[in-house]
Amino acid sequence: MLLVCSESTKDFIDGFDKIRVVKEAPDISILDEIGSYENVIAIGGGAVIDTAKILAKNSIVSYPTTAAGSTETSWSVYWDGNKKCSIKRHKPKDVIIKSEFLNLPYHVKAETTYDVVSHCLDSLNSKKATKESIQYCNKALNILTNQGNGNVDLIRAGREAGKAIEIAGTNLLHSLSYPLTGHYGVSHGKALGYFLPKISKFMDYDVSDIIGEPKIDLDIDIDFVIDEALKYDKIYESNIFISKEVLLEVLI
C-alpha cells in the first residue's frame, strides 16, 4: 500500500510499504506512473490528493488537510512546464477528516480559504452552473461565514465547493491564477488571493467577511498575465463577458 502525504504529515504515519512525500503539484512526468498502485491513501492538500489519484489504479482513501476540494472531483492537476493541465481520474472512495492533521499555519489557512471562495465564485458564474452546483456553493460560503468548528469547518466548506466544481468547473479566477503559478512561482492559493478582491467585486459578490482584505503584493506584468490567462479555454466558460480590455480595466 502506498501512502502519499505532505511533509507536515509524514511523521504521523507508519506501517506503509511505500511513502511518497509531495511538496508541490506534480509535473507531466507523473503520467509515466499513472495507475501504478492498487491501493493508495492520501493525507494532505490538493497537490497530494491529485498526485495520489494519478498514481492509483483505483479510487483512493483521502484525508484532506486543506480545503482544495480535490476529494470531490474526478480530475487531477499536473503541470507541463508553465502550463496547467488536468487528467480524468477516479474520485476518492472515502474522505475522512481528522482534526489532528489540521494544524494549519496562518498563511496556509488563508490561502486555502481563497481557494474555496474562488471555487464558489467561478462555479456560481459558470455557464455550466446548475441548481445543484449553486446549492453546493451557497452551502460552502455559508459554512465559511459562520465557522463554528475552525479548520474542520474549513475542510467541510472545501468539500462542498469541490462538489460544485465537479459540475460547473472553474473559469475566470483560476485561469488568471495559472500564469502566476506557472511563470512566477506563486502558490495556487496566494495567486487566487491576489485577484479575489477585484474579481469578486467585478462578479458583484462581497466576500470580504470571509477573506478580509488580502495584502498580497506581487511584481508582475499584468498584460502578460492576462494574455496567458486568455489562452485557457475555461476562461470563456464564465457567464460574464471576458476580454483583455475588460480585464485590464478591472485589474489595474
Side-chain angles (χ1 to χ4, degrees):
M1 182 177 290
L2 172 68
L3 170 67
V4 183
C5 63
S6 60
E7 186 73 36
S8 62
T9 55
K10 69 181 177 66
D11 294 333
F12 284 91
I13 310 300
D14 55 26
F16 286 86
D17 301 326
K18 296 182 179 180
I19 297 177
R20 181 174 299 202
V21 176
V22 173
K23 297 182 179 179
E24 58 187 5
D27 63 29
I28 194 170
S29 65
I30 199 171
L31 299 186
D32 295 336
E33 300 179 82
I34 189 169
S36 295
Y37 297 88
E38 289 281 346
N39 298 305
V40 180
I41 290 178
I43 304 174
V48 168
I49 295 170
D50 281 350
T51 298
K53 290 195 292 188
I54 293 173
L55 293 174
K57 182 178 180 180
N58 307 301
S59 296
I60 68 170
V61 175
S62 64
Y63 294 77
T65 61
T66 71
S70 185
T71 57
E72 309 305 317
T73 72
S74 56
W75 296 91
S76 284
V77 170
Y78 67 93
W79 286 82
D80 183 359
N82 53 36
K83 181 183 178 182
K84 177 263 181 188
C85 304
S86 298
I87 184 171
K88 191 80 170 176
R89 300 305 295 149
H90 296 293
K91 288 173 63 175
K93 61 182 178 181
D94 292 308
V95 181
I96 303 164
I97 300 175
K98 297 195 72 172
S99 58
E100 57 261 45
F101 296 148
L102 304 182
N103 185 23
L104 302 178
Y106 174 80
H107 76 279
V108 173
K109 184 172 182 178
E111 291 180 17
T112 198
T113 300
Y114 303 150
D115 199 10
V116 181
V117 174
S118 298
H119 285 158
C120 291
L121 297 191
D122 272 354
S123 296
L124 288 168
N125 287 280
S126 173
K127 293 176 181 177
K128 298 189 292 185
T130 66
K131 182 178 180 180
E132 183 179 8
S133 68
I134 291 170
Q135 288 175 338
Y136 288 137
C137 291
N138 289 335
K139 185 173 181 180
L141 292 172
N142 185 60
I143 292 171
L144 292 176
T145 302
N146 301 287
Q147 277 192 52
N149 199 14
N151 291 338
V152 171
D153 275 349
L154 178 57
I155 307 304
R156 287 179 53 233
R159 293 191 65 188
E160 296 301 322
K163 294 172 186 176
I165 61 172
E166 175 72 356
I167 297 170
T170 56
N171 43 76
L172 176 53
L173 275 160
H174 281 71
S175 296
L176 285 168
S177 78
Y178 300 145
L180 293 192
T181 299
H183 293 278
Y184 292 93
V186 180
S187 67
H188 181 58
K190 186 175 182 179
L192 290 167
Y194 178 78
F195 290 112
L196 257 175
K198 291 181 178 179
I199 294 296
S200 61
K201 184 177 180 180
F202 175 53
M203 291 177 168
D204 200 26
Y205 281 93
D206 182 2
V207 291
S208 59
D209 57 335
I210 298 172
I211 66 170
E213 297 182 8
K215 304 295 184 183
I216 302 173
D217 295 319
L218 299 175
D219 183 13
I220 63 171
D221 181 342
I222 194 63
D223 278 270
F224 171 76
V225 169
I226 291 173
D227 285 339
E228 291 299 302
L230 291 171
K231 294 177 182 178
Y232 287 96
D233 291 341
K234 66 164 56 184
I235 199 170
Y236 304 104
E237 293 176 2
S238 172
N239 60 21
I240 301 172
F241 174 72
I242 300 298
S243 69
K244 182 173 183 178
E245 292 72 26
V246 167
L247 291 176
L248 282 171
E249 184 177 346
V250 169
L251 296 173
I252 293 180

